[in-house]
Amino acid sequence: MSEYIRNLSIIAHIDHGKSTLADRLMEHTGAVTEREMREQLLDTMDLERERGITIKAQSVRLTHEYHGHEYQINLIDTPGHVDFSYEVSRSLAACDGAILLVDAAQGAQAQTLANAYLAIEAGLEIVPVINKIDLPSADPAAASAEIAAILGGDPADVLAVSAKTGQGISELLDRIIERIPKPSGDVDAPLRALVFDSYFDTYRGVVCSIRVVDGRIRKGEQVLFMATNDKHAANELAVSTPWILPVDQLRAGDVGLLITGVKHIDQIRVGDTVTLVSNPASEPLEGYDEPRPMVFSGLFPSDGDDFERLREALEKLQLNDASLIWEPETSRALGFGFRVGFLGLLHMEIVRERLEREYNLDLVSTAPSVAYRVTLTDDSVIEIRSPQDLPHLTSVAQLEEPYVRAMILAPSEYIGTIMDLVQSRRGTMHHMQYLTPERVELIYELPLAEVVFDFFDHLKSRTRGYASLDYEPTGYRVSDLVKVDILLAGLPVDAFSTITHRAKAVQYGKGMVETLRELIPRQMFDVPIQAAIGGNIISRETVKARRKDVLAKCYGGDISRKRKLLEKQKEGKKRMKMVGAVEVPQEAFVAALRVDTSDR
C-alpha cells in the first residue's frame, strides 16, 4: 500500500555527513547486519571511498515500524559537490521529500542553500536536521537558527542527530514518516515510471533505476520507453536493500531496478518514461533539463590504437553519467581523440580517472576551456569549444564569454581577502548580506573561465577552508579576449593553445614557455619555444642543443685546432636543423597541461 511508503533523499553541502547518516539509518532499520556493515556502504566506487566524497546517487530500501505499521522508506544518498548538482536534481525528481542536513560545527554552507532551493523548487517536503552534535566545536543552537532562517520556521523544529554515534536516529525515522507525504500516484492507472539513473552491467546489459509513479509493472511484461519508442521485456525487477533483491512486481510509489537485457546504450535515456505496451500511458512524465557542460577538454589515448576503446568507454560512462557530452576531434600534436564537456573541474578529474581505472586506458587531456560565442563579420554567430576552432581574427567581429553568478559564504573576518581574490578574477560584486554577525554571504558576477580552473582552491586556502562556493550560469558577455598560441620550432602546438583575456595573455604565454623549457628534453639542435598572439611573439625561451664534447681529446695545443673542431660541429648541427622535428614526450604534455597558470 502506497500510504506506507516514503521516498526521500539526503541533501547537504559536501562533507556534512550524508553517507554516514545513510549508514546509521541502514544499521538502525536492520538493512545490514553488524558483520556486513562498513563505513560509507552506499559509496560503492573505489574513487568515492578514496576521496571521501559521493559521486553517484545510490538508492536503498529500508523498513521501519511506526505505531504498529511497517513502513517502507526508499532512501537516495546524493553527492554534495557543486559539480554533481545535476545528479542531485535527478534524485529529487524521484522523491516526495528530503532531509536537509547541516553540520552543527560549520553551519549552513553554499551548497546547503543551493540544494535547499532545488528541493523547494521541486515542491518537496523538507525535514531539517543538524548533524555532528557530538563534536566539541558543535553549536547546535546557531546551526538550527540558520536553517530556520533559510526555510522559514521555528529553530525548535530542527532535529539534532549524530550520524557517527547514532544519537537521534530513531527520532529521525519517526519524523520522516510523520512529515514526508506518501506517494501521490494511482496504482490502477496505466504504468508510468521515471528512469532517474542507469548503468551498464557486463552480464545484464543496461540496468535502469526507476521510480514507479502510476500503475504497476510485473516481471516478464513488455515495456515501452516513450522517448525512443523502443519495446523490451522486463526480464528482471529488483530493489536495493542495499543488496540486489529480485522482486516479481513494482507498484506506484516504489523505487527499484528494471533490467531489460538491452545491450545498446543509446536505447535508454535518463529522464525517459517507461510504460506498458499492452496499456500505454497517454502522456510521458516530465523529464529533466538537459545538463549544460561548463568546461571542455580534449581526451586523447596515448596509443592511437586505443581510439575505439576510448569511444566505447565514453558511451558506457555516459549511460552512468547523463551530464557527460562528447564529440570526436583531431589534434596535430596528439592525433585522434574526443572533445568532452564536463560540469566542472572535479567532474573532469573524476571522469578521466574512471576511464583510466575502469576501462584500463592511458589518456592525455588538453588544457580545459569554456564555450565561447563568436560573432563573425557577416553577423553569423557560432559557438566554439576549443581554441583551435576560433576563426582568424580578421573574420571575428566580437567574442563573448560565459558569466556566472557566484555565491560565497564565509566568516566575516575573510571579507577583505575574498574581495581581493574575486576582483583579481575580473569579478563585480552584486550584493553582500550578513546571515549572522559572524557569517556573510557575498554575491558576485564573474567570468566562468576564471572560476573553473583554480578559483575554488585559492578561495579555500585564503579562508583556511572556511569559505564555500556555489555558482550558476547567467549568460554571455562581450570581452576583450585573445588566442595565445604556443609555437615549437615555429610550428603551433594546438594542445597548448588557449583563449584568455588580453590582460592575462602575457602571463599565460610566459608561464607556459618557461614550463615547456623545463619539460622538453634537449635535442640535437636549438628548439625555440614561443608564445604568440596572432603574428606577435609575446614570450620566448630556447631549449639549448645537446652538445658532444668534441674537445675532449685536446689536451692543450694550438687554439685554432679547437676552433676548427667547434666549427665542424656547428656545420653538422645546421644540417640537422633543416631536417629535425621536435620530440615532445608524453610527460611534458601531461605536466604542462596540469600546471596552474595563476601560480607561475
Side-chain angles (χ1 to χ4, degrees), residues 187-188 191 210 212 215-223 232-238 247-251 258-259 276 278:
V187 74
D188 297 319
L191 173 70
I210 61 169
V212 183
R216 70 179 79 206
I217 176 172
R218 293 182 180 87
K219 186 177 173 181
E221 287 186 313
Q222 286 286 318
V223 294
H232 303 284
N235 294 342
E236 290 182 66
L237 297 172
V247 293
D248 290 328
Q249 68 168 359
L250 294 171
R251 298 157 50 95
L258 166 65
I259 301 156
L276 293 178
S278 56

Side-chain angles (χ1 to χ4, degrees), residues 52-127:
I53 58 173
T54 302
I55 295 165
K56 287 296 301 172
Q58 297 282 353
S59 62
V60 62
R61 178 186 282 192
L62 311 173
T63 54
H64 177 62
E65 195 166 303
Y66 179 74
H67 291 335
H69 290 288
E70 196 170 85
Y71 284 80
Q72 175 187 312
I73 298 171
N74 294 314
L75 173 71
I76 299 173
D77 177 28
T78 60
H81 196 279
V82 61
D83 280 15
F84 304 112
S85 54
Y86 180 69
E87 195 82 22
V88 177
S89 68
R90 296 209 328 251
S91 303
L92 293 179
C95 297
D96 304 301
I99 295 172
L100 181 66
L101 197 65
V102 173
D103 187 325
Q106 294 183 14
Q109 302 279 296
Q111 275 299 105
T112 310
L113 270 67
N115 287 337
Y117 297 149
L118 274 176
I120 291 165
E121 282 170 24
L124 303 187
E125 180 68 35
I126 296 176
V127 178

Side-chain angles (χ1 to χ4, degrees), residues 320-502:
N320 191 226
D321 184 353
S323 56
L324 196 66
I325 68 158
W326 47 272
E327 61 190 19
E329 82 163 352
T330 55
S331 160
R332 195 185 309 170
L334 299 171
F336 292 99
F338 296 92
R339 170 78 24 183
V340 187
F342 307 95
L343 298 180
L345 231 60
L346 177 67
H347 186 214
M348 171 179 144
E349 207 179 312
I350 294 294
V351 166
R352 183 181 160 170
E353 207 159 329
R354 286 186 70 184
L355 286 169
E356 290 184 340
R357 283 188 184 204
E358 296 173 24
Y359 302 97
N360 202 24
L361 289 162
D362 189 17
L363 301 175
V364 175
S365 57
T366 62
S369 67
V370 298
Y372 295 95
R373 194 180 283 167
V374 185
T375 305
L376 302 174
T377 46
D378 62 0
D379 289 336
S380 61
V381 179
I382 59 170
E383 187 181 273
I384 62 161
R385 296 174 175 178
S386 170
Q388 66 196 59
D389 296 336
L390 183 68
H392 195 273
L393 290 176
T394 52
S395 59
V396 176
Q398 69 177 28
L399 264 169
E400 295 172 275
E401 65 177 329
Y403 267 67
V404 294
R405 185 173 184 267
M407 174 172 65
I408 301 167
L409 267 70
S412 49
E413 65 197 86
Y414 297 112
I415 289 176
T417 188
I418 291 170
M419 286 180 168
D420 179 53
L421 172 65
V422 182
Q423 280 160 13
S424 73
R425 300 303 180 97
R426 301 188 282 135
T428 52
M429 184 182 277
H430 206 271
H431 80 263
M432 182 170 78
Q433 175 187 348
Y434 279 85
L435 301 175
T436 67
E438 295 80 32
R439 288 177 66 73
V440 67
E441 178 188 64
L442 299 157
I443 305 290
Y444 274 93
E445 290 202 339
L446 70 167
L448 176 63
E450 300 284 358
V451 175
V452 293
F453 299 130
D454 60 349
F455 180 79
F456 186 64
D457 296 340
H458 280 265
L459 179 68
K460 282 290 186 187
S461 62
R462 290 195 186 198
T463 60
R464 298 182 187 175
Y466 285 112
S468 58
L469 170 75
D470 184 55
Y471 56 86
E472 58 182 24
T474 57
Y476 283 78
R477 292 191 197 170
V478 177
S479 291
D480 185 12
L481 302 168
V482 292
K483 180 186 175 189
V484 180
D485 284 313
I486 304 296
L487 313 174
L488 287 183
L491 291 172
V493 182
D494 47 14
F496 296 133
S497 298
T498 191
I499 296 171
T500 185
H501 194 266
R502 192 178 294 275

Side-chain angles (χ1 to χ4, degrees), residues 61 72 74 237-247 249-250 254-257:
R61 178 186 282 192
Q72 175 187 312
N74 294 314
L237 297 172
V239 294
S240 171
T241 67
W243 324 117
I244 302 299
L245 180 72
V247 293
Q249 68 168 359
L250 294 171
D254 283 339
V255 173
L257 301 173

